[in-house]
Amino acid sequence: MADLPIALEGALAAQLARAVDTEGKILRALEELGPIAGRDVVLVGEVGGLRHRQLTDKGARVVAVPALDGETTSLEADSADVVVAWWAGFRGVDAVELDEADRLLRPGGRLLVIHDYGRDDVSRLRGDLPEYGSWGRRDGPFVEAGFKIRVLHCWWTFESVEERDAFLDAAFGLVGRAVTSQLRRPRLSYNVAVYHRTSSSRPAPEAVGATGRPKPV
């Protein structure tokens, strides 16, 4: 599930991959908060997948690992400028994952974690999830672990209303049809949180400039 926010297969997965954030806001935020261009980046997720290709196209030197569990990661310490996790990693904040990210990151390195944020059309498809509630709060696991939050107002954008309706029906059934009945444009609002943190071995640089409050983009 690292390439997509929702586990789908076959044609539905390909369709969602084309629809998510066609404006490229997530990649622009990673470059601003990293940066990633010209840097050594460890990607937590699929080797050679969509997000791997996107980061490489941005000029990152990418090495992918399946997880940050301290066992399957065979990379040397201080070998990365940035660690990026898309959706699958850091389901909340796990101390083992955090320690492994800090081990891999050079002094001043950046940990960037992407999750859904909610308060949007997409969250109505998926029900009550922790990323829609406790994760983004000031007393939640990310802020307490030293992360700041950047909230991006993105979209799932389809070619037409008909394509949107067919996708939501096939992927989400009755719930998808209920959401469709309240939409007028061929897109769904989709808010994404980038939780960002500097390696604990050095304070965050002033250039990052985040305050810890969700910042709209």
Side-chain angles (χ1 to χ4, degrees), residues 51-62:
R51 306 306 166 190
H52 192 155
R53 294 193 297 273
Q54 287 181 332
L55 292 171
T56 300
D57 288 345
K58 278 288 187 181
R61 296 182 293 271
V62 182

Side-chain angles (χ1 to χ4, degrees), residues 17-161:
R18 291 192 298 269
V20 172
D21 187 30
T22 57
E23 300 87 358
K25 287 186 175 183
I26 299 175
L27 283 171
R28 289 200 298 274
L30 295 185
E31 177 62 23
E32 180 181 345
L33 295 170
I36 56 175
R39 303 301 178 97
D40 294 319
V41 175
V42 171
L43 168 65
V44 183
E46 300 293 332
V47 178
L50 172 62
R51 306 306 166 190
H52 192 155
R53 294 193 297 273
Q54 287 181 332
L55 292 171
T56 300
D57 288 345
K58 278 288 187 181
R61 296 182 293 271
V62 182
V63 175
V65 297
L68 291 175
D69 56 14
E71 296 179 0
T72 61
T73 305
S74 59
L75 302 179
E76 294 182 1
D78 297 331
S79 61
D81 300 305
V82 186
V83 172
V84 179
W86 299 70
W87 295 299
F90 289 89
R91 302 295 302 170
V93 177
D94 181 271
V96 172
E97 287 183 300
L98 199 57
D99 287 347
E100 184 63 4
D102 281 339
R103 185 186 74 82
L104 293 174
L105 287 168
R106 296 175 179 127
R110 299 286 285 153
L111 174 57
L112 309 176
V113 178
I114 297 95
H115 281 302
D116 288 9
Y117 186 72
R119 302 152 179 83
D120 55 19
D121 294 330
V122 172
S123 62
R124 292 189 286 145
L125 297 169
R126 306 191 65 196
D128 187 19
L129 298 176
E131 46 262 67
Y132 298 156
S134 62
W135 289 3
R137 294 202 302 252
R138 289 183 178 274
D139 60 349
F142 283 97
V143 172
E144 288 192 342
F147 286 85
K148 297 181 175 69
I149 308 171
R150 175 74 60 88
V151 177
L152 313 175
H153 300 301
C154 305
W155 304 93
W156 289 6
T157 303
F158 298 90
E159 293 291 332
S160 65
V161 169

Side-chain angles (χ1 to χ4, degrees), residues 183-200:
L183 301 175
R184 296 293 176 264
R185 298 181 180 181
R187 65 184 189 180
L188 287 77
S189 60
Y190 179 48
N191 296 332
V192 176
V194 182
Y195 298 95
H196 54 102
R197 179 181 186 271
T198 299
S199 172
S200 60

